[in-house]
Amino acid sequence: MDAVRVALLREVLAGTEWLGATRRFAGALRASAVAHGGGLLLVGTREYEPWHLAAHLVDEAAWSGTPELAPTLVRHDARASDPAHLAVGLGRLAAARRGETLLVVSPDRPGAPLLERVHDARRAGATVLALGTGEGELTTMAHERLVVPEGAELDLDTVQHLVSAGAGENTVPSGRGRGRFRDRLSRLVESLTAPPPPRW
């Protein structure tokens, strides 16, 4: 989902709880990662790896000039033969310390092994954020949580797009009027469709 689609989605969601909820969660993610100079770990469940969120956060890190947002994707079945950016296994959670941020994305209840590792990371001082579809032990131990209930207007994938886009914003937009939003959207569209500057 590109920036224009995210902006249009936000306009559709204006006045709903989702716009504020995703921005608050994104703000907590950004504040934690930036305040500690990075150390963002991203993990899903054994059945669900948040590849797309990792890719979008890498893009937002580059576009916003905030390298701290680029996550380390922690995988359940990582192998030493995998490329370096895909070879980080769950053992990395055992090494999590104060100043690091752990974002757990869970479309279903995480298993006990993952919960134990998240609990250990929290005890070691890591900030834990949970993004998922239900309440449970994970949301209880998280410092910040965003729950996307079954049957909600948005699905977990769409919420991840909003969170990653919100994390990349340098400031939270302050204007709430439709005219101001349309002005921002218009400027965004113009900047995205403008030809690149000439290279001399």
Side-chain angles (χ1 to χ4, degrees):
M1 187 178 294
D2 60 33
V4 173
R5 288 192 181 97
V6 169
L8 292 172
L9 178 59
R10 284 177 170 168
E11 183 171 8
V12 169
L13 294 173
T16 71
E17 66 183 72
W18 289 110
L19 199 55
T22 54
R23 278 207 166 119
R24 276 190 299 277
F25 188 80
L29 172 61
R30 180 186 176 103
S32 180
V34 171
H36 297 106
L40 175 58
L41 305 173
L42 175 62
V43 66
T45 62
R46 181 171 293 281
E47 297 76 23
Y48 179 85
E49 289 187 331
W51 299 91
H52 281 69
L53 181 56
H56 285 299
L57 285 170
V58 167
D59 289 344
E60 292 295 340
W63 294 334
S64 67
T66 313
E68 299 89 350
L69 289 176
T72 297
L73 180 62
V74 178
R75 302 179 59 221
H76 289 257
D77 295 317
R79 297 180 300 270
S81 60
D82 290 335
H85 68 289
L86 299 177
V88 179
L90 287 180
R92 177 62 179 86
L93 299 184
R97 295 291 175 258
R98 182 172 306 283
E100 292 187 301
T101 303
L102 173 57
L103 173 56
V104 185
V105 181
S106 174
D108 46 24
R109 287 187 181 270
L114 177 59
L115 288 173
E116 288 171 15
R117 290 175 186 266
V118 172
H119 184 263
D120 290 344
R122 180 183 166 118
R123 265 199 343 219
T127 300
V128 177
L129 291 89
L131 176 57
T133 56
E135 301 281 353
E137 192 174 345
L138 177 62
T139 55
T140 301
M141 74 174 76
H143 295 93
E144 295 287 340
R145 67 202 56 81
L146 181 57
V147 176
V148 185
E150 296 289 339
E153 302 89 347
L154 301 179
D155 61 17
L156 185 59
D157 286 338
T158 303
V159 169
Q160 289 179 66
H161 284 291
L162 291 169
V163 167
S164 61
E169 290 177 339
N170 288 320
T171 58
V172 176
S174 58
R176 298 185 64 89
R178 288 182 80 73
R180 295 183 73 179
F181 175 83
R182 289 188 187 281
D183 291 343
R184 288 194 312 274
L185 181 60
S186 176
R187 285 194 301 273
L188 175 64
V189 171
E190 286 174 13
S191 69
L192 292 173
T193 58
R199 292 185 177 175
W200 304 104

